[in-house]
Amino acid sequence: MQGNRIGVDERIRKLLNLDMFKAYDIRTKSTALTPVLASRLMRAIGKYCIDILKVRSVVLGRDARLAAPALLELAVDILPSMGLDVILNPLQVSTCQFYFSCMRNRDAAAVMFTASHNPGIYIGMKLMGPGMRTLAYDSGPAGGIACIRDFYLDNSGSEYPVKGRGTVRIARYLDEFIDYSISLSGLETHSLRGVSILTDYLCGSAGTEVTEALQACGATVRVRNLIPDGMFPAGDPNPIALESVRSTWDLMRREKFDFGFCFDGDGDRMDVMDNNGEQLAPSFNLALLIPMITDYFRTVHASGVFGSYPYQPHMYYDVKANPLSVVLQANCGIGVHIIRNGHSFIKEALRTNMKQQYLVASEESAHYYMNFPYDLKDSSQGFAATENTLFFTLLTARMWTSSPELYTQALQRQKAIYREREWPCHFYEEHLLEQVMQEVEQAFVSQGLAVFKTMEDGSSLDATLMRGGLPELITKETSLKGDWLQVAQRISRSEEGMARWEVSSSSPERCDQAVAIIHSVTDRYVKEGKASYPE
């Protein structure tokens, strides 16, 4: 099938909307996925599940997006017609609740209809194989999404002989998901009593589970944008989009809650904020949570899951992570290792390296990952490398409630590092992306920065990391007392024509200078009408 992946006529590519097959999922504007193309795609997914994954059932889920119900209805019709049993909750759920339903049906494949943090005009699908294996392009049996694209291109799922129609079973896991997450976090019914928390769900699908769980632990919760609404009236469902969360920050400053959380459209991103509306970067937050996580896995180690090897836990950190946060993580007694962006890639790395005690990871986009036990009472049942943002929300609430001074210190440390949080530039022609990356890279090489493009094992970072005054490998011995600069740039694999940059530095002057250097390149494309800065 490999030949189908190259040399496709441009007219066919556009007619069939082949650009929807992204690096880590399937994602497109809803209007571009017509009913005819959607049926063709669903049959390609069905064929992949039957012929390649060899499964008999598929877990389905959807978030609040307006385009999701029709696609879910289509899947409920087509997949059983191909002989597959369907397991689903027809109501909107968060992606993390969906993942939990997959943990409870680990022999099934799975499809989640969502476009995460993207604007409401987008729709997509996150795909999984049995055993909680995340599928990506050229990752997974027979190439994962690349194989589905091939089946879609040749329309080989259109006439699929079956002996009998599959079944449709309703399965809801909300209560079990909340109980599991509370138990794993170590919270009890009184643990958060007297604590006031502000939450903003941006009209996405995580509001029910998070609010219920926090209230069950005794917290007083003020909710904003709680009701799922695929029109996303509060703004793009992205907690790092300033215009979407500005009013929540203002409310936090006016009424002085103890702390707060903001979530994205499908509830797998969680941003933390203090009572002044100041956001704490995920890498700094994870540095505070690591001791509780490693304490849990110490008990797992004692049960013999890792064999006779000594307890030496490891974690992955995002290419954009602030160097100081990485040092703080390393000081927790955990090995720190850089990893490329991409939820599928990170989860696959955690899955394959679980036996080597790789336990947890985070991305600066506010994603958290961990190897979660299938059974809280029996570690021998195995672990799923996945996301459970509810768990990390509860763990953060537990830590902030018990040790608020640690968050005060973390925010002070974060302020001591000058940072321009990741910003995008949209290029109207895909071929310009690599050109821009190269121009920016050369500009910083001329400033004396070293360029890193691979992880410790030599595989690609799928990004460019540029550092001055910093080593390639950061450890607990790394000193940040001198003058240093870090610039991370990447091409987004989930958005069309989008490049992104993040800068951090020891001084405001170097940070501002680095941002100016990047803008000196991208502004030129904007002025020439070849690019724009998203609002």
Side-chain angles (χ1 to χ4, degrees):
M1 306 287 296
Q2 182 70 31
N4 285 339
R5 300 183 196 170
I6 57 176
V8 177
D9 181 85
E10 181 69 12
R11 183 183 63 84
I12 297 297
R13 185 181 69 82
K14 290 183 177 180
L15 182 66
L16 294 180
N17 189 21
L18 294 181
D19 288 341
M20 66 180 166
F21 296 95
K22 306 296 186 186
Y24 305 119
D25 55 22
I26 296 170
R27 201 168 297 196
T28 182
K29 290 182 179 179
S30 302
T31 54
L33 190 60
T34 66
V36 171
L37 295 184
S39 296
R40 182 172 180 149
L41 175 59
M42 209 63 62
R43 291 190 174 279
I45 292 172
K47 179 176 172 63
Y48 180 80
C49 290
I50 297 167
D51 290 0
I52 306 300
L53 297 181
K54 308 293 184 182
V55 297
R56 298 175 59 89
S57 57
V58 182
V59 177
L60 300 179
R62 59 103 173 178
D63 65 9
R65 289 180 178 269
L66 297 180
L71 285 174
L72 184 59
E73 182 69 38
L74 186 68
V76 169
D77 180 49
I78 288 178
L79 296 181
S81 76
M82 300 178 74
L84 287 163
D85 295 331
V86 163
I87 305 163
L88 83 156
N89 180 348
L91 304 177
Q92 67 273 346
V93 299
S94 72
T95 290
C96 295
Q97 188 182 150
F98 165 76
Y99 289 149
F100 184 80
S101 69
C102 296
M103 290 176 66
R104 291 297 179 257
N105 297 277
R106 56 200 292 188
D107 293 330
V111 183
M112 175 70 178
F113 298 97
T114 174
S116 189
H117 63 285
N118 287 152
I121 61 174
Y122 284 86
I123 190 62
M125 303 175 196
K126 294 180 179 179
L127 306 161
M128 298 180 65
M132 296 292 294
R133 183 169 183 179
T134 303
L135 303 176
Y137 200 93
D138 282 332
S139 177
I145 291 176
C147 182
I148 294 173
R149 177 185 182 272
D150 289 343
F151 289 156
Y152 171 82
L153 186 59
D154 63 25
N155 205 20
S156 55
S158 60
E159 298 294 335
Y160 203 87
V162 295
K163 296 180 180 179
R165 187 175 180 86
T167 62
V168 177
R169 176 168 65 90
I170 305 298
R172 292 176 289 176
Y173 295 94
L174 174 62
D175 292 343
E176 188 179 348
F177 177 51
I178 291 174
D179 291 345
Y180 172 98
S181 302
I182 291 175
S183 180
L184 186 59
S185 73
L187 287 171
E188 298 177 351
T189 55
H190 62 279
S191 300
L192 303 180
R193 188 171 298 158
V195 177
S196 61
I197 302 173
L198 176 64
T199 58
D200 188 345
Y201 305 105
L202 294 176
C203 301
S205 54
T208 298
E209 65 206 41
V210 174
T211 305
E212 277 198 31
L214 290 173
Q215 290 176 339
C217 296
T220 299
V221 185
R222 171 75 175 272
V223 298
R224 298 198 77 238
N225 303 307
L226 171 67
I227 308 304
D229 184 347
M231 295 294 291
F232 299 120
D236 290 348
N238 186 345
I240 64 174
L242 179 59
E243 291 306 314
S244 297
V245 297
R246 189 192 303 276
S247 61
T248 296
W249 292 357
D250 292 342
L251 178 60
M252 178 66 85
R253 296 183 187 106
R254 288 196 309 271
E255 300 196 15
K256 297 293 184 181
F257 301 86
D258 291 312
F259 52 91
F261 301 101
C262 294
F263 301 85
D264 72 339
D266 67 331
D268 61 1
R269 289 187 177 201
M270 178 268 289
D271 243 10
V272 189
M273 55 186 170
D274 72 356
N275 58 10
N276 290 311
E278 181 77 21
Q279 290 176 300
L280 182 66
S283 54
F284 277 99
N285 187 41
L286 186 57
L288 298 179
L289 305 182
I290 284 171
M292 291 190 291
I293 293 170
T294 53
D295 280 351
Y296 164 73
F297 278 101
R298 187 173 284 107
T299 65
V300 172
H301 177 267
S303 72
V305 167
F306 300 116
S308 60
Y309 295 100
Y311 185 47
Q312 295 177 336
H314 298 271
M315 63 162 289
Y316 292 112
Y317 72 88
D318 183 1
V319 65
K320 304 184 299 299
N322 193 302
L324 176 56
S325 71
V326 180
V327 173
L328 294 173
Q329 291 169 350
N331 281 328
C332 294
I334 193 168
V336 293
H337 308 272
I338 196 169
I339 196 166
R340 61 185 280 185
N341 280 115
H343 61 91
S344 301
F345 188 89
I346 293 172
K347 285 184 277 191
E348 182 64 11
L350 284 173
R351 185 184 73 86
T352 56
N353 293 312
M354 171 64 182
K355 286 295 185 180
Q356 286 70 49
Q357 302 179 42
Y358 282 76
L359 310 177
V360 66
S362 70
E363 287 183 283
E364 293 303 88
S365 57
H367 283 279
Y368 295 81
Y369 310 86
M370 197 174 84
N371 275 306
F372 286 91
Y374 283 105
D375 189 326
L376 292 177
K377 297 180 180 179
D378 184 2
S379 297
S380 68
Q381 294 299 311
F383 291 77
T386 188
E387 294 171 83
N388 181 339
T389 302
L390 175 59
F391 163 76
F392 280 102
T393 300
L394 294 169
L395 202 64
T396 300
R398 174 187 166 189
M399 175 58 78
W400 204 313
T401 300
S402 63
S403 304
E405 72 281 359
L406 295 181
Y407 278 89
T408 300
Q409 294 171 10
L411 285 158
Q412 290 172 345
R413 286 169 170 163
Q414 179 175 270
K415 289 178 182 178
I417 302 300
Y418 298 91
R419 173 191 182 216
E420 187 70 27
R421 194 166 187 174
E422 191 178 48
W423 75 93
C425 187
H426 177 231
F427 293 84
Y428 303 141
E429 297 181 33
E430 290 280 340
H431 74 273
L432 295 175
L433 291 168
E434 293 291 349
Q435 181 177 313
V436 172
M437 297 285 109
Q438 189 64 32
E439 288 185 44
V440 172
E441 178 183 327
Q442 289 303 314
F444 283 107
V445 168
S446 68
Q447 297 282 319
L449 271 65
V451 177
F452 307 107
K453 295 186 178 183
T454 60
M455 295 182 288
E456 293 173 30
D457 63 2
S459 57
S460 173
L461 271 177
D462 196 32
T464 304
L465 184 64
M466 295 164 280
R467 286 175 172 168
L470 290 169
E472 179 177 4
L473 300 179
I474 295 177
T475 68
K476 62 182 180 180
E477 284 80 29
T478 300
S479 173
L480 298 178
K481 293 181 179 179
D483 185 37
W484 58 266
L485 172 67
Q486 175 175 287
V487 179
Q489 68 170 2
R490 66 185 180 96
I491 296 172
S492 174
R493 302 305 181 190
S494 61
E495 301 162 301
E496 295 178 8
M498 199 76 78
R500 293 181 172 272
W501 290 267
E502 180 152 334
V503 176
S504 55
S505 176
S506 57
S507 71
E509 294 80 14
R510 288 204 76 181
C511 183
D512 292 344
Q513 181 189 41
V515 172
I517 288 173
I518 297 168
H519 274 286
S520 70
V521 175
T522 58
D523 285 354
R524 188 176 73 252
Y525 286 87
V526 173
K527 290 178 181 177
E528 293 173 356
K530 298 177 180 178
S532 62
Y533 297 112
E535 297 181 1

